[in-house]
Amino acid sequence: RDFDFVISSHKKFRADGAPVDNYFPANAQFLIGEVLYDTFKKIQLSPPLDRNLKRKRAKFQKVVKAYTAAAKYKSAEWSTASSYKIGVSFEEFASALLDSPRPKNMKDKDLIVYNQKLWQSVLPFKEKAYKTYKSNVRQAEKNSIENKWIEESKRRLGFLGAELNTSSLDAENSGLKPSTN
């Protein structure tokens, strides 16, 4: 409620023509995203898988929406933080899918096919995270911004770049194979 109060007060003052800074409402909106992210991260993809996947996906969408709203305030600190956390959210969703329990009593061949299909559903989330980090870094360089969120975005870019470039070989070795489409 306190974060919503800051945001609504900012909107009211702006509507009244008062000169207001975007830093505090951007920070409040980012913190709303953080609260939602913590809840999102705690949702485990365990049986009943369909229900928990639906819950996780719905919370994921709320998290991305909250961070996107924070970025729209165009405060350098909170825009870069929000973009970074959007990338982290995509990675978290991908990891949750990959770490989810496999169906029981599945034969080796069927498990390989299952893992291949699972990888195909995870790959777009990893690619979206990569693109989000890349966009964050590019925008920061364009505006001469350097902060911990950009440093972390660069670090994740390096990690994901290596993972996505070598994913075919690793997938073949582990039974997970990315889509060739």
Side-chain angles (χ1 to χ4, degrees), residues 99-178:
D99 295 341
S100 65
R102 303 304 189 259
K104 294 181 180 183
N105 302 325
M106 194 174 268
K107 296 181 181 184
D108 289 342
K109 198 173 197 179
D110 293 333
L111 186 58
I112 290 171
V113 171
Y114 180 88
N115 285 336
Q116 288 173 338
K117 288 181 180 179
L118 183 61
W119 178 255
Q120 289 172 357
S121 68
V122 165
L123 189 58
F125 289 99
K126 289 190 173 273
E127 290 171 341
K128 185 69 174 170
Y130 182 85
K131 289 176 186 174
T132 301
Y133 296 133
K134 190 171 188 172
S135 175
N136 199 24
V137 170
R138 189 178 319 120
Q139 192 67 25
E141 288 172 350
K142 180 180 171 185
N143 293 299
S144 301
I145 299 169
E146 193 60 48
N147 60 29
K148 69 180 182 177
W149 307 109
I150 296 305
E151 289 303 314
E152 284 299 309
S153 292
K154 289 177 183 177
R155 188 178 67 76
R156 295 306 308 153
L157 259 178
F159 178 81
L160 275 176
E163 181 182 30
L164 293 172
N165 286 335
T166 62
S167 63
S168 295
L169 178 60
D170 291 344
E172 289 173 4
N173 292 336
S174 67
L176 295 174
K177 186 172 177 155

Side-chain angles (χ1 to χ4, degrees), residues 6-167:
V6 170
I7 293 166
S8 63
S9 295
H10 177 266
K11 287 177 183 175
K12 181 185 179 309
F13 289 136
R14 177 164 268 170
D16 291 344
V20 290
D21 191 329
N22 288 340
Y23 183 88
F24 293 112
N27 179 223
Q29 184 62 53
F30 175 80
L31 292 172
I32 290 170
E34 291 287 85
V35 169
L36 291 170
Y37 178 80
D38 286 344
T39 306
F40 157 72
K41 191 169 179 176
K42 289 177 184 174
I43 299 171
Q44 299 295 314
L45 295 183
S46 56
L49 192 58
D50 289 342
R51 189 180 91 207
N52 286 323
L53 180 59
K54 190 181 225 182
R55 284 179 51 230
K56 188 142 183 115
R57 185 178 306 274
K59 190 61 74 171
F60 169 73
Q61 290 169 344
K62 288 181 180 180
V63 167
V64 171
K65 185 177 178 181
Y67 286 134
T68 300
K72 287 181 180 177
Y73 283 99
K74 298 186 181 192
S75 166
E77 176 78 13
W78 303 115
S79 292
T80 56
S82 294
S83 293
Y84 168 73
K85 289 299 294 232
I86 289 170
V88 167
S89 299
F90 276 103
E91 284 192 86
E92 169 59 32
F93 198 84
S95 293
L97 289 171
L98 283 175
D99 295 341
S100 65
R102 303 304 189 259
K104 294 181 180 183
N105 302 325
M106 194 174 268
K107 296 181 181 184
D108 289 342
K109 198 173 197 179
D110 293 333
L111 186 58
I112 290 171
V113 171
Y114 180 88
N115 285 336
Q116 288 173 338
K117 288 181 180 179
L118 183 61
W119 178 255
Q120 289 172 357
S121 68
V122 165
L123 189 58
F125 289 99
K126 289 190 173 273
E127 290 171 341
K128 185 69 174 170
Y130 182 85
K131 289 176 186 174
T132 301
Y133 296 133
K134 190 171 188 172
S135 175
N136 199 24
V137 170
R138 189 178 319 120
Q139 192 67 25
E141 288 172 350
K142 180 180 171 185
N143 293 299
S144 301
I145 299 169
E146 193 60 48
N147 60 29
K148 69 180 182 177
W149 307 109
I150 296 305
E151 289 303 314
E152 284 299 309
S153 292
K154 289 177 183 177
R155 188 178 67 76
R156 295 306 308 153
L157 259 178
F159 178 81
L160 275 176
E163 181 182 30
L164 293 172
N165 286 335
T166 62
S167 63

